[in-house]
Amino acid sequence: QTERGGTCGFRCNLHEHQWLFIISSGRSGSTTTLSMLNRLPSVQLDGEHNGIVNNFFSLSDAIAYTRNLGIEQPQHVHNRGASWFHTPISVAPTEVYCLMQHWFFLHTGASCAPGTIHGFKEIRYTTKRTLDFMAAAFPTAKFVINVRRKVPEVEYQEMYRSADFTKNVTGTLLEWVKEHEDRSFLLYLEEFTTKRFTQLADWLGIPCTAQFVQHAHKHDSQEGPFKLDNDPKTNPWVCQGNYTTSPAEI
């Protein structure tokens, strides 16, 4: 399970931590989903971050270019003193995976205790290639794919996203769910019910029952029961006992 990266022997275990990501088309209830999941035991998810994964993706592409150059023109990469010299291990694909996992583990959630589930929600990962990159970098991750069944024409223009763009993103996310059914949970805004969120907790392996949907935005409301205030003292979940997740249980 341990991956080696860097010439100085930096090592990481890509299976060490548990991850959960909310990937959304936007204006589909992702903030409400974030609020609900963060009230579950041991779940510690952060909000949007302007697509930081895309920066790691660009780094991965640059490393891949260097690695491929070493395959095609080894005299320019593997000969010490050459202009593009690198040791083979420094351009391994897992190098970026290790860096990305380390960064997100340190910069999401409020605790780094064993058994905590880290992750985030984001609306800026809109291509299959980006999602596949995330799936490879976080092999233990689960993905909540959050979209609308019907995209409104006017509302999305307020986000500087056309309805057509959002429909295309929704289609991409739905196709990705089909290809990763073992790791993804499809959550439509129109299905924001206590039953569906209870199914989501069960899918995560956390024995909790949703008592109401704690909406973060009033415009997300579809069908009840709902609680529109976000009082931190009011927990929308009832869990069995003093449950704390562990890596073996998720």
Side-chain angles (χ1 to χ4, degrees):
Q1 303 282 10
T2 302
E3 304 289 349
R4 182 185 170 194
T7 56
C8 295
F10 170 71
R11 295 176 183 273
C12 79
N13 182 354
L14 294 176
H15 294 77
E16 180 178 3
H17 303 300
Q18 298 302 306
W19 300 92
L20 177 61
F21 302 119
I22 303 167
I23 306 298
S24 172
S25 59
R27 299 302 281 267
S28 55
S30 59
T31 303
T32 291
T33 304
L34 175 69
S35 175
M36 287 290 291
L37 291 179
N38 268 336
R39 304 305 299 274
L40 287 171
S42 299
V43 175
Q44 301 188 25
L45 309 183
D46 277 9
E48 297 173 29
H49 46 256
N50 200 32
I52 289 176
V53 166
N54 291 325
N55 295 303
F56 285 102
F57 201 2
S58 296
L59 175 61
S60 178
D61 280 345
I63 290 176
Y65 179 88
T66 305
R67 182 174 64 254
N68 292 336
L69 184 65
I71 295 172
E72 298 168 1
Q73 305 179 46
Q75 70 276 14
H76 295 308
V77 176
H78 300 315
N79 293 334
R80 190 172 294 278
S83 59
W84 280 71
F85 172 74
H86 292 278
T87 59
I89 193 65
S90 67
V91 290
T94 53
E95 176 82 352
V96 178
Y97 299 165
C98 291
L99 290 172
M100 185 161 65
Q101 276 213 19
H102 185 68
W103 193 92
F104 275 107
F105 188 75
L106 294 179
H107 295 86
T108 57
S111 170
C112 295
T116 54
I117 303 172
H118 287 233
F120 53 76
K121 77 104 165 175
E122 185 56 271
I123 65 172
R124 293 167 180 83
Y125 303 137
T126 60
T127 68
K128 178 181 184 302
R129 191 164 178 251
T130 302
L131 295 172
D132 287 346
F133 174 70
M134 290 182 61
F138 298 91
T140 64
K142 292 189 174 184
F143 295 80
V144 177
I145 304 299
N146 168 233
V147 296
R148 287 184 186 237
R149 288 189 181 277
K150 184 177 181 180
V151 177
E153 298 292 337
V154 177
E155 187 174 354
Y156 279 81
Q157 294 176 2
E158 299 172 0
M159 291 179 60
Y160 306 103
R161 286 186 169 193
S162 68
D164 287 341
F165 175 83
T166 304
K167 289 175 182 177
N168 289 335
V169 171
T170 300
T172 297
L173 295 179
L174 292 176
E175 285 298 316
W176 197 84
V177 168
K178 292 179 182 178
E179 296 176 7
H180 299 82
E181 291 182 347
D182 59 326
R183 301 180 61 181
S184 56
F185 185 96
L186 180 57
L187 182 62
Y188 287 108
L189 172 63
E190 292 85 352
E191 296 178 354
F192 273 27
T193 62
T194 54
K195 178 181 179 180
R196 191 59 176 157
F197 273 97
T198 299
Q199 291 172 343
L200 175 54
D202 183 66
W203 177 73
L204 292 171
I206 303 176
C208 296
T209 301
Q211 301 302 294
F212 56 85
V213 178
Q214 192 170 43
H215 278 297
H217 302 298
K218 290 183 179 181
H219 68 258
D220 284 343
S221 298
Q222 295 292 318
E223 49 185 307
F226 301 112
K227 188 176 182 65
L228 294 179
D229 67 274
N230 223 347
D231 185 352
K233 297 180 181 179
T234 306
N235 198 323
W237 301 96
V238 173
C239 302
Q240 298 178 15
N242 295 321
Y243 182 77
T244 301
T245 59
S246 66
E249 295 173 310
I250 298 297

mmCIF file of all heavy atoms in Angstrom, residues 107-131:
data_model
loop_
_atom_site.group_PDB
_atom_site.id
_atom_site.type_symbol
_atom_site.label_atom_id
_atom_site.label_comp_id
_atom_site.label_asym_id
_atom_site.label_seq_id
_atom_site.Cartn_x
_atom_site.Cartn_y
_atom_site.Cartn_z
ATOM 1 N N HIS A 107 -5.575 20.351 5.292
ATOM 2 C CA HIS A 107 -6.330 21.582 5.088
ATOM 3 C C HIS A 107 -7.833 21.372 4.995
ATOM 4 O O HIS A 107 -8.558 22.255 4.524
ATOM 5 C CB HIS A 107 -5.821 22.296 3.832
ATOM 6 C CG HIS A 107 -4.416 22.778 3.949
ATOM 7 N ND1 HIS A 107 -3.334 21.980 3.664
ATOM 8 C CD2 HIS A 107 -3.910 23.973 4.352
ATOM 9 C CE1 HIS A 107 -2.217 22.668 3.851
ATOM 10 N NE2 HIS A 107 -2.535 23.858 4.276
ATOM 11 N N THR A 108 -8.324 20.233 5.415
ATOM 12 C CA THR A 108 -9.766 20.020 5.516
ATOM 13 C C THR A 108 -10.073 19.451 6.896
ATOM 14 O O THR A 108 -9.268 18.727 7.472
ATOM 15 C CB THR A 108 -10.293 19.043 4.439
ATOM 16 O OG1 THR A 108 -9.600 17.785 4.553
ATOM 17 C CG2 THR A 108 -10.072 19.605 3.042
ATOM 18 N N GLY A 109 -11.249 19.793 7.392
ATOM 19 C CA GLY A 109 -11.659 19.280 8.700
ATOM 20 C C GLY A 109 -10.978 20.002 9.847
ATOM 21 O O GLY A 109 -10.037 20.773 9.662
ATOM 22 N N ALA A 110 -11.473 19.726 11.030
ATOM 23 C CA ALA A 110 -10.944 20.368 12.231
ATOM 24 C C ALA A 110 -10.063 19.435 13.045
ATOM 25 O O ALA A 110 -9.436 19.860 14.013
ATOM 26 C CB ALA A 110 -12.105 20.856 13.107
ATOM 27 N N SER A 111 -9.988 18.174 12.671
ATOM 28 C CA SER A 111 -9.226 17.189 13.433
ATOM 29 C C SER A 111 -8.529 16.231 12.482
ATOM 30 O O SER A 111 -9.054 15.904 11.420
ATOM 31 C CB SER A 111 -10.143 16.400 14.374
ATOM 32 O OG SER A 111 -9.467 15.293 14.940
ATOM 33 N N CYS A 112 -7.335 15.807 12.880
ATOM 34 C CA CYS A 112 -6.596 14.809 12.100
ATOM 35 C C CYS A 112 -6.577 13.468 12.826
ATOM 36 O O CYS A 112 -5.719 12.625 12.561
ATOM 37 C CB CYS A 112 -5.168 15.286 11.851
ATOM 38 S SG CYS A 112 -5.069 16.760 10.812
ATOM 39 N N ALA A 113 -7.518 13.266 13.740
ATOM 40 C CA ALA A 113 -7.559 12.026 14.520
ATOM 41 C C ALA A 113 -7.849 10.842 13.612
ATOM 42 O O ALA A 113 -8.546 10.969 12.606
ATOM 43 C CB ALA A 113 -8.635 12.129 15.601
ATOM 44 N N PRO A 114 -7.318 9.677 13.954
ATOM 45 C CA PRO A 114 -7.602 8.470 13.160
ATOM 46 C C PRO A 114 -9.108 8.208 13.087
ATOM 47 O O PRO A 114 -9.831 8.378 14.070
ATOM 48 C CB PRO A 114 -6.883 7.361 13.939
ATOM 49 C CG PRO A 114 -5.818 8.063 14.709
ATOM 50 C CD PRO A 114 -6.402 9.407 15.077
ATOM 51 N N GLY A 115 -9.572 7.808 11.926
ATOM 52 C CA GLY A 115 -10.980 7.490 11.755
ATOM 53 C C GLY A 115 -11.824 8.632 11.252
ATOM 54 O O GLY A 115 -12.984 8.430 10.892
ATOM 55 N N THR A 116 -11.273 9.848 11.217
ATOM 56 C CA THR A 116 -12.040 10.962 10.681
ATOM 57 C C THR A 116 -12.108 10.870 9.154
ATOM 58 O O THR A 116 -11.188 10.373 8.508
ATOM 59 C CB THR A 116 -11.421 12.312 11.077
ATOM 60 O OG1 THR A 116 -10.043 12.331 10.678
ATOM 61 C CG2 THR A 116 -11.518 12.527 12.574
ATOM 62 N N ILE A 117 -13.207 11.332 8.616
ATOM 63 C CA ILE A 117 -13.418 11.310 7.172
ATOM 64 C C ILE A 117 -13.261 12.732 6.647
ATOM 65 O O ILE A 117 -14.040 13.615 6.997
ATOM 66 C CB ILE A 117 -14.813 10.766 6.828
ATOM 67 C CG1 ILE A 117 -15.007 9.377 7.425
ATOM 68 C CG2 ILE A 117 -15.014 10.723 5.315
ATOM 69 C CD1 ILE A 117 -16.421 8.852 7.292
ATOM 70 N N HIS A 118 -12.258 12.957 5.835
ATOM 71 C CA HIS A 118 -11.984 14.283 5.305
ATOM 72 C C HIS A 118 -12.503 14.393 3.873
ATOM 73 O O HIS A 118 -12.741 13.389 3.199
ATOM 74 C CB HIS A 118 -10.484 14.567 5.333
ATOM 75 C CG HIS A 118 -9.949 14.830 6.697
ATOM 76 N ND1 HIS A 118 -9.217 15.952 7.020
ATOM 77 C CD2 HIS A 118 -10.044 14.127 7.847
ATOM 78 C CE1 HIS A 118 -8.877 15.920 8.300
ATOM 79 N NE2 HIS A 118 -9.366 14.811 8.815
ATOM 80 N N GLY A 119 -12.627 15.630 3.410
ATOM 81 C CA GLY A 119 -13.064 15.849 2.045
ATOM 82 C C GLY A 119 -13.603 17.252 1.859
ATOM 83 O O GLY A 119 -13.357 18.144 2.662
ATOM 84 N N PHE A 120 -14.388 17.444 0.806
ATOM 85 C CA PHE A 120 -14.886 18.774 0.474
ATOM 86 C C PHE A 120 -16.049 18.654 -0.494
ATOM 87 O O PHE A 120 -16.365 17.567 -0.985
ATOM 88 C CB PHE A 120 -13.784 19.629 -0.150
ATOM 89 C CG PHE A 120 -13.103 18.991 -1.331
ATOM 90 C CD1 PHE A 120 -13.706 18.934 -2.586
ATOM 91 C CD2 PHE A 120 -11.841 18.423 -1.200
ATOM 92 C CE1 PHE A 120 -13.087 18.348 -3.669
ATOM 93 C CE2 PHE A 120 -11.205 17.827 -2.274
ATOM 94 C CZ PHE A 120 -11.827 17.794 -3.513
ATOM 95 N N LYS A 121 -16.656 19.808 -0.757
ATOM 96 C CA LYS A 121 -17.649 19.880 -1.832
ATOM 97 C C LYS A 121 -17.161 20.913 -2.834
ATOM 98 O O LYS A 121 -16.532 21.905 -2.484
ATOM 99 C CB LYS A 121 -19.031 20.217 -1.290
ATOM 100 C CG LYS A 121 -19.265 21.683 -0.916
ATOM 101 C CD LYS A 121 -20.096 22.393 -1.961
ATOM 102 C CE LYS A 121 -20.647 23.720 -1.436
ATOM 103 N NZ LYS A 121 -21.366 24.481 -2.481
ATOM 104 N N GLU A 122 -17.440 20.644 -4.110
ATOM 105 C CA GLU A 122 -16.963 21.545 -5.150
ATOM 106 C C GLU A 122 -17.868 21.447 -6.376
ATOM 107 O O GLU A 122 -18.451 20.402 -6.658
ATOM 108 C CB GLU A 122 -15.519 21.196 -5.520
ATOM 109 C CG GLU A 122 -14.856 22.134 -6.506
ATOM 110 C CD GLU A 122 -14.861 23.589 -6.069
ATOM 111 O OE1 GLU A 122 -15.853 24.267 -6.400
ATOM 112 O OE2 GLU A 122 -13.896 24.049 -5.427
ATOM 113 N N ILE A 123 -18.001 22.585 -7.089
ATOM 114 C CA ILE A 123 -18.820 22.629 -8.301
ATOM 115 C C ILE A 123 -17.948 22.823 -9.543
ATOM 116 O O ILE A 123 -18.483 22.951 -10.649
ATOM 117 C CB ILE A 123 -19.858 23.770 -8.231
ATOM 118 C CG1 ILE A 123 -19.174 25.136 -8.215
ATOM 119 C CG2 ILE A 123 -20.758 23.596 -7.011
ATOM 120 C CD1 ILE A 123 -20.137 26.314 -8.342
ATOM 121 N N ARG A 124 -16.626 22.831 -9.387
ATOM 122 C CA ARG A 124 -15.721 23.184 -10.488
ATOM 123 C C ARG A 124 -15.039 21.983 -11.137
ATOM 124 O O ARG A 124 -14.157 22.165 -11.968
ATOM 125 C CB ARG A 124 -14.681 24.183 -9.992
ATOM 126 C CG ARG A 124 -15.301 25.535 -9.630
ATOM 127 C CD ARG A 124 -14.364 26.427 -8.862
ATOM 128 N NE ARG A 124 -15.019 27.697 -8.554
ATOM 129 C CZ ARG A 124 -15.845 27.877 -7.516
ATOM 130 N NH1 ARG A 124 -16.091 26.861 -6.687
ATOM 131 N NH2 ARG A 124 -16.420 29.037 -7.307
ATOM 132 N N TYR A 125 -15.435 20.793 -10.745
ATOM 133 C CA TYR A 125 -14.858 19.611 -11.378
ATOM 134 C C TYR A 125 -15.897 19.043 -12.333
ATOM 135 O O TYR A 125 -16.796 18.294 -11.931
ATOM 136 C CB TYR A 125 -14.420 18.603 -10.322
ATOM 137 C CG TYR A 125 -13.432 19.237 -9.350
ATOM 138 C CD1 TYR A 125 -13.520 19.026 -7.982
ATOM 139 C CD2 TYR A 125 -12.422 20.075 -9.823
ATOM 140 C CE1 TYR A 125 -12.624 19.617 -7.113
ATOM 141 C CE2 TYR A 125 -11.527 20.677 -8.953
ATOM 142 C CZ TYR A 125 -11.638 20.454 -7.599
ATOM 143 O OH TYR A 125 -10.750 21.061 -6.745
ATOM 144 N N THR A 126 -15.758 19.430 -13.580
ATOM 145 C CA THR A 126 -16.840 19.238 -14.548
ATOM 146 C C THR A 126 -16.503 18.295 -15.692
ATOM 147 O O THR A 126 -17.309 18.137 -16.603
ATOM 148 C CB THR A 126 -17.241 20.606 -15.140
ATOM 149 O OG1 THR A 126 -16.096 21.192 -15.790
ATOM 150 C CG2 THR A 126 -17.742 21.548 -14.050
ATOM 151 N N THR A 127 -15.326 17.676 -15.658
ATOM 152 C CA THR A 127 -14.946 16.780 -16.750
ATOM 153 C C THR A 127 -14.657 15.388 -16.210
ATOM 154 O O THR A 127 -14.248 15.215 -15.055
ATOM 155 C CB THR A 127 -13.692 17.289 -17.490
ATOM 156 O OG1 THR A 127 -12.552 17.204 -16.628
ATOM 157 C CG2 THR A 127 -13.886 18.727 -17.947
ATOM 158 N N LYS A 128 -14.841 14.407 -17.076
ATOM 159 C CA LYS A 128 -14.552 13.019 -16.718
ATOM 160 C C LYS A 128 -13.075 12.855 -16.365
ATOM 161 O O LYS A 128 -12.728 12.134 -15.425
ATOM 162 C CB LYS A 128 -14.934 12.094 -17.864
ATOM 163 C CG LYS A 128 -14.643 10.616 -17.618
ATOM 164 C CD LYS A 128 -15.017 9.778 -18.811
ATOM 165 C CE LYS A 128 -14.812 8.295 -18.538
ATOM 166 N NZ LYS A 128 -13.418 7.970 -18.158
ATOM 167 N N ARG A 129 -12.209 13.525 -17.094
ATOM 168 C CA ARG A 129 -10.772 13.389 -16.859
ATOM 169 C C ARG A 129 -10.393 13.865 -15.450
ATOM 170 O O ARG A 129 -9.584 13.235 -14.773
ATOM 171 C CB ARG A 129 -10.004 14.182 -17.917
ATOM 172 C CG ARG A 129 -8.508 13.908 -17.923
ATOM 173 C CD ARG A 129 -7.865 14.387 -19.206
ATOM 174 N NE ARG A 129 -6.429 14.146 -19.167
ATOM 175 C CZ ARG A 129 -5.514 15.090 -19.043
ATOM 176 N NH1 ARG A 129 -5.881 16.363 -18.958
ATOM 177 N NH2 ARG A 129 -4.236 14.784 -19.006
ATOM 178 N N THR A 130 -10.968 14.970 -15.010
ATOM 179 C CA THR A 130 -10.681 15.467 -13.663
ATOM 180 C C THR A 130 -11.201 14.502 -12.607
ATOM 181 O O THR A 130 -10.514 14.204 -11.622
ATOM 182 C CB THR A 130 -11.304 16.854 -13.454
ATOM 183 O OG1 THR A 130 -10.803 17.755 -14.440
ATOM 184 C CG2 THR A 130 -10.972 17.392 -12.067
ATOM 185 N N LEU A 131 -12.409 13.999 -12.797
ATOM 186 C CA LEU A 131 -12.989 13.075 -11.823
ATOM 187 C C LEU A 131 -12.205 11.766 -11.772
ATOM 188 O O LEU A 131 -11.997 11.199 -10.691
ATOM 189 C CB LEU A 131 -14.452 12.814 -12.167
ATOM 190 C CG LEU A 131 -15.387 14.019 -12.050
ATOM 191 C CD1 LEU A 131 -16.760 13.684 -12.601
ATOM 192 C CD2 LEU A 131 -15.486 14.492 -10.609
#
